[in-house]
Amino acid sequence: MRVAKELQDGFYVNLGIGLPTLVANFIPPEKTIIFQSENGILGVGPFPEEGEEDADLVNAGGQLVTLSPGGCFFHHADSFAMIRGGHIDVAVLGGLQVSEKGDLANWMIPQRRVGPIGGAADLAANAKRVIIPMEHTTRDGDAKIVKSCSYPLTAKECVDLIVTDLAVIEVTKEGLVLKEIAPEWRVEEIQALTEPKLIVDKDLREVEL
Amino acid sequence: MAINKVYESADSAIADVEDEAVVMFGGFTARGTPTGLILALKRKETRNITAITNDCCGGWRLGDVDVSLLIESKQVKKVIASYPVAGSPSRVCALERQYLAGEIELEMFPQGTLAEKIRAGGAGIGGVFTPTGVGTVFAQGKEKRVIDGKEYLLELPLKADFAFIRAHKADKMGNLVYRRAARNFNPPMATAARVTIAEVDEIVEPGELDPEAIVTPGIYVHRIVKRNETETR
């Protein structure tokens, strides 16, 4: 919901598999966002109504979707030329760990010894802006915003904004800037769940949805 | 004599795919996948295949066919892919089991790198410099180059003995049109193999496809076979 606010009218946006896909549900009707799916679609529309499904029309997660008016299709090499060429305004991707410098790890848990990279490395490294919505900590309470990622990287120094259930944090050259904070949370409490030192923005405010 | 690349059946179209063959498989999340050709290759029991495919973990929808079928039947010795296993660690596919047991080789590339390596293979390009993967495990052992102040990795072209692809319609000369997101890896793969075999829903006479709408020109396509819907789905 908070991530949707970052998407400006007319933006070309790629939403990663899973949680990021939900961002499309929170775009107000007055905004036109063109969603790209790396399997060769510009103009991904909502999920189909019953009877409207087309087996050849799926998003990058393999879910059935529709095509918005003005949408089009292209092949994979063209799709990634679009991504690699820096034409995507925003990529919204899942995250396992984000480092102080904006390194992203989101494709493999080391214990598993194998994982799917898919299109994440291309999107993370080459989109104009990379936003990571994720839980602030792991289920065990470990920090996911870390000094240095212990999981294998997807791309280095690529993340621009981290949006968690507790905070909105911007990655800057000076470090991580705490911009917004969830209601009833204190800065010290957020800091305790975050490995690197947070710079508190002078205009720090409550998260607005 | 008029050109006619149409084969009677998937089995006849893949009859010379022998052990040790390197095969590209079009498709993405079991959409645009040449399922009839995959089933024919399973019947032929060709072994030690090197499979180049975006994904191969099956399980997308009940009854979907993809390369996982050939991995399950132990016909594949090596997979080159970007999404070889399921996103969820709890869903362990045949490739993951065999890889962890040391029974199958796996080479992974970021998806865009995989697509571009294939495109380069078909286009006669000796390699491409991509910024994707810099500073990650995907950079290991690769030549780096700084161009205009930005770091890139050298990625070499990929080619295959055979490309199994799926399109919507073909004319008998091999010109292809696709349907929606079922296009995915099929057009670049069609260009990068010694023999490209296209499985299609419909075959028409030359001149019946709109020349402006043809995505894969017939020069890249050597064999065409019509899908058998009762067999594939």
Side-chain angles (χ1 to χ4, degrees):
Chain A
M1 231 189 293
R2 174 60 185 79
V3 173
K5 278 182 62 184
E6 298 291 321
L7 309 180
Q8 295 172 23
D9 195 33
F11 265 18
Y12 289 89
V13 174
N14 183 297
L15 301 177
I17 298 173
L19 182 68
T21 308
L22 303 177
V23 171
N25 299 337
F26 298 102
I27 304 296
E30 65 274 15
K31 269 194 209 173
T32 302
I33 308 290
I34 300 109
F35 291 108
Q36 199 250 19
S37 190
E38 57 264 38
N39 55 323
I41 313 173
L42 261 187
V44 177
F47 296 123
E49 306 280 336
E50 208 180 313
E52 222 192 353
E53 303 94 340
D54 183 328
D56 286 338
L57 190 42
V58 297
N59 65 15
Q63 296 167 302
L64 292 166
V65 292
T66 55
L67 189 71
S68 293
C72 60
F73 302 109
F74 35 88
H75 64 64
H76 245 90
D78 278 353
S79 180
F80 279 89
M82 205 176 274
I83 292 166
R84 206 185 300 102
H87 305 282
I88 301 294
D89 293 302
V90 176
V92 182
L93 303 170
L96 294 171
Q97 290 181 329
V98 177
S99 83
E100 191 167 21
K101 288 185 165 170
D103 297 343
L104 172 67
N106 78 349
W107 68 278
M108 185 170 110
I109 301 160
Q111 307 85 284
R112 190 180 175 190
R113 289 173 52 213
V114 63
I117 185 68
D122 297 273
L123 285 159
N126 301 303
K128 285 183 199 162
R129 190 165 153 80
V130 174
I131 301 178
I132 310 297
M134 65 179 192
E135 300 288 321
H136 204 92
T137 59
T138 66
R139 250 174 291 177
D140 301 332
D142 294 329
K144 294 180 74 173
I145 303 170
V146 293
K147 284 185 177 151
S148 169
C149 295
S150 56
Y151 291 4
L153 293 189
T154 306
K156 66 171 192 180
E157 296 174 24
C158 62
V159 176
D160 296 284
L161 194 72
I162 310 164
V163 178
T164 76
D165 46 332
L166 305 181
V168 177
I169 296 168
E170 197 181 331
V171 182
T172 71
K173 284 202 182 70
E174 289 69 41
L176 299 179
V177 178
L178 181 62
K179 307 276 288 186
E180 296 174 36
I181 187 164
E184 292 170 31
W185 280 78
R186 290 182 298 126
V187 171
E188 307 79 69
E189 292 172 320
I190 305 288
Q191 179 64 72
L193 300 172
T194 311
E195 244 182 47
K197 179 85 185 115
L198 293 169
I199 302 166
V200 179
D201 192 72
K202 60 177 179 6
D203 299 323
L204 178 73
R205 53 183 185 182
E206 246 185 37
V207 176
E208 279 173 44
L209 298 177
Chain B
M1 204 179 90
I3 295 176
N4 184 355
K5 299 179 180 176
V6 179
Y7 277 60
E8 274 300 296
S9 64
D11 297 278
S12 62
I14 64 125
D16 57 348
V17 182
E18 303 296 351
D19 293 359
E20 308 292 337
V22 178
V23 184
M24 288 179 180
F25 296 89
F28 179 96
T29 69
R31 302 291 99 197
T33 302
T35 55
L37 297 173
I38 291 172
L39 288 166
L41 198 57
K42 184 164 159 38
R43 283 193 293 272
K44 185 169 156 56
E45 296 179 359
T46 300
R47 299 184 72 85
N48 290 331
I49 297 164
T50 295
I52 303 172
T53 175
N54 176 68
D55 53 84
C56 55
C57 44
W60 295 103
R61 262 171 219 89
L62 196 64
D64 276 347
V65 167
D66 70 9
V67 178
S68 63
L69 207 71
L70 302 172
I71 297 171
E72 281 161 15
S73 55
K74 302 270 178 102
Q75 290 173 261
V76 179
K77 74 166 179 188
K78 179 177 179 179
V79 167
I80 300 175
S82 90
Y83 207 95
V85 296
S88 160
S90 58
R91 195 164 72 73
V92 179
C93 61
L95 173 82
E96 186 162 352
R97 271 195 305 274
Q98 291 179 23
Y99 175 72
L100 295 178
E103 295 167 359
I104 197 166
E105 249 183 282
L106 171 63
E107 195 174 2
M108 273 181 63
F109 297 100
Q111 202 166 104
T113 300
L114 182 65
E116 194 62 12
K117 286 167 76 76
I118 294 166
R119 196 197 65 81
I125 303 289
V128 292
F129 283 100
T130 177
T132 304
V134 168
T136 74
V137 292
F138 300 103
Q140 279 169 12
K142 288 174 190 163
E143 186 183 329
K144 293 187 188 70
R145 180 86 62 88
V146 175
I147 301 170
D148 261 350
K150 188 171 170 174
E151 245 184 299
Y152 294 83
L153 305 178
L154 174 63
E155 290 285 358
L156 300 178
L158 266 179
K159 293 186 197 180
D161 299 316
F162 296 89
F164 287 9
I165 66 161
R166 164 87 191 272
H168 179 44
K169 282 187 192 178
D171 67 22
K172 289 178 175 172
M173 298 178 78
N175 295 302
L176 302 179
V177 297
Y178 297 86
R179 206 175 162 275
R180 305 197 157 224
R183 186 182 301 196
N184 57 62
F185 271 90
N186 290 298
M189 284 182 173
T191 69
R194 183 172 55 77
V195 178
T196 292
I197 310 171
E199 175 178 332
V200 301
D201 297 313
E202 194 183 339
I203 300 171
V204 300
E205 293 299 324
E208 286 185 39
L209 295 178
D210 174 1
E212 306 281 0
I214 290 168
V215 173
T216 294
I219 190 169
Y220 298 117
V221 178
H222 306 94
R223 301 172 190 171
I224 306 158
V225 60
K226 190 170 180 313
R227 277 171 73 76
N228 177 346
E229 286 298 335
T230 55
E231 178 196 69
T232 45
R233 69 154 262 146

